Amino acid sequence: MTSSTAVLENRQGERGQLPDGRLWQIASGGYRCQSSAEAYFQVEYIPGRESSRFILPHGDIQLTHLDLWFDWLFALNPALQKVDIVQVDTVVSRVSRSGFYQRTELWYRGNNGGKFPLQWVENEQGVRHPLRAHPPEGEVYRRYFHTLGMDFSLRHLDPKKDLARFTDWMNQERVAQFWEEEGEAEKQRKFIDSVIQDPHKHPLIACFDDEPFAYFEIYWALEDRIAPYYDCQSFDRGAHMLVGDQRFLGKRFAQAWFNGVSHFMFLDDRRTETLVGEPRADNRALLKYINGTFGWKKIKEFDFPHKRAALVMCKRDEFLRNMGGV
């Protein structure tokens, strides 16, 4: 078997590989894994346990060479919370799920990463808020999802190459039902320009294996219409979303992209402790995926002037402890 996934209940000897070609094989009590070239190490893990051990041989193995193995094991075992690195019967390092998935250098391609200095300003509506980093162009996030065997990425929306696609998505009946922004390309270009020019929003195109399939409109909640409806904090973040390519509808894809965009928002600023959303209360398909997924919960329903909405929320710590399964 050659697969990027592994389940210990399979027969001993079953094997597969990481996306970079390094091999794993189910062995007694865990896995035999390739670190580089002809070098292998043992992973001790029992499904359902919160801890695992990487038993490394003598010699120098840089921990960065194990990063993809950490991601692989964490992603496929939701209960796992920490991995001990053992050499010569001594624990030389410990990697936690929460700490590992906050390492911006592995997935984040943006220009903030929580390093943008705190400066207070006031917008045209009189809302005092932190000055936000100007969103960069190009790719801002990339991560491999092991259960799909695909890369998920986010890039800044480019009006020149995305307008036709965006117009098609907005005019799909199921999208127009909730976004209510259907119309010709000229109208969509004005909509895109308004989002790009709004300092509290960041328009993103989501891709699987570099094929665009969805639009995410990331926003700072304090400057958004949602702020008065809950106890909003300075670095809370939210997203409006639509899946335009119907091939990527369904639970197996939704879990991946929902996890990916949430992960990006937490990486983009370390001061963000809460993510929020306000989908229409009758959007049952979306709420079915959101409620209970990676720490997201429906908190309440409330009335905007234009719609009945559901307030959904996710806390950083709970999200990072529930990033398995993708």
Side-chain angles (χ1 to χ4, degrees):
M1 181 178 82
T2 57
S3 168
S4 63
T5 62
V7 179
L8 286 180
E9 283 78 1
N10 288 345
R11 296 188 307 273
Q12 185 166 320
E14 293 274 7
R15 64 186 64 200
Q17 63 183 42
L18 296 182
D20 65 5
R22 285 183 291 171
L23 304 174
W24 58 261
Q25 182 176 12
I26 295 178
S28 178
Y31 307 91
R32 182 173 183 263
C33 298
Q34 186 179 27
S35 57
S36 61
E38 299 301 317
Y40 285 78
F41 65 97
Q42 187 74 15
V43 172
E44 294 181 353
Y45 183 63
I46 298 174
R49 297 283 180 87
E50 291 189 355
S51 61
S52 172
R53 301 195 337 153
F54 282 18
I55 311 299
L56 304 185
H58 293 284
D60 294 330
I61 295 181
Q62 296 183 11
L63 290 184
T64 54
H65 293 165
L66 300 175
D67 284 341
L68 199 52
W69 286 115
F70 296 139
D71 185 43
W72 172 79
L73 195 63
F74 280 133
L76 298 172
N77 296 281
L80 180 62
Q81 292 296 319
K82 61 184 177 72
V83 176
D84 285 342
I85 312 302
V86 180
Q87 283 186 316
V88 196
D89 297 324
T90 300
V91 176
V92 296
S93 183
R94 173 169 290 172
V95 177
S96 71
R97 176 188 294 272
S98 177
F100 179 72
Y101 283 114
Q102 292 184 80
R103 289 178 54 191
T104 53
E105 73 274 14
L106 298 180
W107 304 281
Y108 182 72
R109 307 287 186 268
N111 64 345
N112 185 10
K115 299 177 181 178
F116 194 70
L118 181 60
Q119 305 171 67
W120 289 90
V121 295
E122 187 174 294
N123 66 14
E124 295 178 354
Q125 290 72 43
V127 176
R128 189 170 182 268
H129 63 87
L131 181 67
R132 311 300 186 182
H134 184 72
E137 297 183 359
E139 187 173 279
V140 295
Y141 178 88
R142 179 173 292 267
R143 182 169 154 217
Y144 182 80
F145 285 98
H146 295 269
T147 56
L148 295 178
M150 303 174 79
D151 270 349
F152 171 83
S153 60
L154 295 167
R155 62 170 175 80
H156 189 74
L157 184 150
D158 184 339
K160 292 182 180 179
K161 67 180 180 181
D162 293 320
L163 179 59
R165 177 184 298 114
F166 187 85
T167 301
D168 172 68
W169 290 353
M170 279 296 191
N171 283 280
Q172 293 179 19
E173 182 177 354
R174 61 182 180 82
V175 174
Q177 178 185 357
F178 296 106
W179 278 74
E180 300 178 341
E181 291 289 350
E182 63 270 33
E184 299 301 318
E186 183 179 353
K187 176 183 177 181
Q188 301 307 327
R189 179 57 195 256
K190 291 179 180 178
F191 177 88
I192 290 171
D193 287 345
S194 71
V195 175
I196 291 175
Q197 293 164 13
D198 190 328
H200 94 283
K201 293 180 180 178
H202 188 183
L204 297 171
I205 295 294
C207 304
F208 278 123
D209 284 345
D210 296 314
E211 186 168 359
F213 76 93
Y215 170 69
F216 294 100
E217 191 175 290
I218 310 299
Y219 60 85
W220 295 104
L222 188 62
E223 298 102 273
D224 199 75
R225 64 190 181 188
I226 196 174
Y229 293 90
Y230 80 105
D231 184 19
C232 185
Q233 302 301 303
S234 300
F235 293 94
D236 290 359
R237 209 79 180 267
H240 303 297
M241 56 193 71
L242 72 87
V243 175
D245 191 328
Q246 298 186 49
R247 293 175 300 166
F248 297 100
L249 293 172
K251 183 176 180 180
R252 64 190 291 261
F253 291 110
Q255 284 194 326
W257 59 252
F258 199 67
N259 182 281
V261 74
S262 300
H263 191 206
F264 166 74
M265 287 190 284
F266 280 126
L267 292 184
D268 194 46
D269 200 309
R270 295 170 187 165
R271 295 165 292 192
T272 296
E273 292 291 334
T274 304
L275 304 182
V276 296
E278 32 92 341
R280 271 178 43 168
D282 60 353
N283 193 342
R284 294 182 179 86
L286 181 61
L287 289 170
K288 179 178 67 174
Y289 292 129
I290 290 178
N291 197 31
T293 300
F294 308 116
W296 280 86
K297 295 181 177 65
K298 178 181 175 181
I299 305 301
K300 65 178 182 179
E301 293 187 9
F302 64 98
D303 288 312
F304 272 135
H306 65 294
K307 71 176 181 180
R308 179 73 174 171
L311 175 66
V312 294
M313 189 174 291
C314 179
K315 297 294 186 180
R316 172 183 284 269
D317 182 62
E318 190 170 0
F319 175 82
L320 292 168
R321 287 187 284 107
N322 288 278
M323 281 192 64
V326 291

